[in-house]
Amino acid sequence: MKIISWNVERPKINQFEKINFIENIIKENNADLIFLRETNSILNFGKEYFKLESNILPEFFENQTYFKGENRVTIYSKYEILEEIKTYDNFTCISGKIKTEFGELVLFGSIIGSFGGRDQYFKNDLLNQKKEIENLKSNICFSGDFNISFSGFKYPSKVIVSETMKFFEDNDLAILTKENKDCAIHIVLNNEFLKDKIYTNKMIEIDRKFSDHNLVICEISANKKK
């Protein structure tokens, strides 16, 4: 199972070079699950993917102007979406259940703080998303733009980083991407789901003319030695 997570920094419908770059790099890496943020409904990765999509943003929302087709979070899945799960904010996070070769998995894609890691939106999202993760009584793949860096510069603060790491630890969740330096994009899964499996994590550097975030990829496979 290969998982991509990326913040594509608000592509507009007429930005053909950027759209082509995004679609090409995603297709080249051929992931089973794709979590995108700051995205646009114009993006298309082919008929093999099912899709969960947060609400399209109105032209003016939360003191910011948005353009045609923009939304905050989309999940593309080669596994059929068996059920969509309601979240506290349909603009900021989405959730749904799939069945994989390793069993059922609840997908949860989000932005924690759509304007960065230091305002009230961030605090509200972090609080509400922790509650929702705790209430999902199943194996979870939680991925998004957390606006938290666990390695390198501790953003937004050492306290937030420490508290968030403890939250995941207390809920038996592993941050597969925590060693990616100065990276706010993360993929988190249950330790139980990862049992008897091996995983790899890498980060692909992206030219800043296309996105202000790098792309992360995690790949999970059965441990054949078991």
Side-chain angles (χ1 to χ4, degrees):
M1 176 192 298
K2 185 185 286 189
I3 307 166
I4 281 177
S5 192
W6 191 16
N7 184 328
V8 295
E9 199 184 6
R10 303 182 61 189
K12 313 300 184 294
I13 60 173
N14 60 349
Q15 291 181 315
F16 303 114
E17 182 185 10
K18 182 169 183 171
I19 290 167
N20 287 338
F21 177 83
I22 293 167
E23 291 182 346
N24 286 339
I25 197 169
I26 292 287
K27 289 173 182 176
E28 284 170 11
N29 284 284
N30 191 30
D32 301 293
L33 296 170
I34 305 164
F35 292 79
L36 299 185
R37 274 82 46 202
E38 291 193 4
T39 184
N40 194 303
S41 59
I42 195 171
L43 294 176
N44 181 9
F45 304 112
K47 293 181 179 179
E48 62 186 323
Y49 287 101
F50 300 89
K51 183 165 70 169
L52 281 171
E53 190 172 41
S54 65
N55 290 353
I56 299 297
L57 292 153
E59 186 175 344
F60 191 75
F61 184 69
E62 294 181 343
N63 297 316
Q64 186 164 347
T65 299
Y66 290 94
F67 297 91
K68 185 176 180 181
E70 283 194 82
N71 67 298
R72 287 179 176 163
V73 189
T74 302
I75 302 173
Y76 300 85
S77 170
K78 287 186 179 179
Y79 309 98
E80 182 181 358
I81 309 295
L82 303 176
E83 175 188 354
E84 189 166 351
I85 300 169
K86 183 177 174 57
T87 67
Y88 74 97
D89 181 351
N90 292 332
F91 286 103
T92 303
C93 55
I94 51 176
S95 183
K97 183 183 290 186
I98 60 173
K99 186 173 182 179
T100 77
E101 62 268 39
F102 303 125
E104 286 192 350
L105 191 62
V106 171
L107 309 178
F108 192 95
S110 77
I111 293 178
I112 303 177
S114 51
F115 303 101
R118 298 186 177 183
D119 61 10
Q120 196 59 43
Y121 290 110
F122 174 81
K123 293 175 184 176
N124 289 341
D125 286 337
L126 184 58
L127 176 64
N128 283 303
Q129 290 181 38
K130 282 181 177 179
K131 289 179 180 177
E132 297 215 333
I133 293 301
E134 284 180 320
N135 289 332
L136 290 170
K137 306 298 184 183
S138 56
N139 284 323
I140 302 165
C141 179
F142 176 23
S143 183
D145 180 354
F146 289 7
N147 276 304
I148 299 171
S149 172
F150 299 105
S151 181
F153 179 71
K154 300 295 193 298
Y155 180 85
S157 71
K158 291 180 180 179
V159 171
I160 293 293
V161 168
S162 178
E163 289 177 349
T164 306
M165 290 181 72
K166 187 176 186 307
F167 169 80
F168 287 132
E169 182 180 339
D170 289 346
N171 285 275
D172 200 33
L173 293 162
I175 312 167
L176 276 57
T177 49
K178 70 179 179 180
E179 301 302 328
N180 291 341
K181 187 177 179 182
D182 301 328
C183 181
I185 308 302
H186 295 290
I187 298 171
V188 176
L189 284 111
N190 299 74
N191 283 311
E192 180 63 28
F193 188 81
L194 295 170
K195 186 177 179 181
D196 296 332
K197 301 177 185 69
I198 56 175
Y199 71 86
T200 59
N201 161 54
K202 69 177 179 179
M203 184 168 61
I204 298 176
E205 292 190 7
I206 301 296
D207 190 315
R208 287 302 182 255
K209 77 175 183 177
F210 296 117
S211 175
D212 58 349
H213 288 73
N214 292 328
L215 180 152
V216 301
I217 303 177
C218 292
E219 194 161 1
I220 301 165
S221 57
N223 188 345
K224 294 180 181 179
K225 294 181 181 180
K226 293 290 183 178

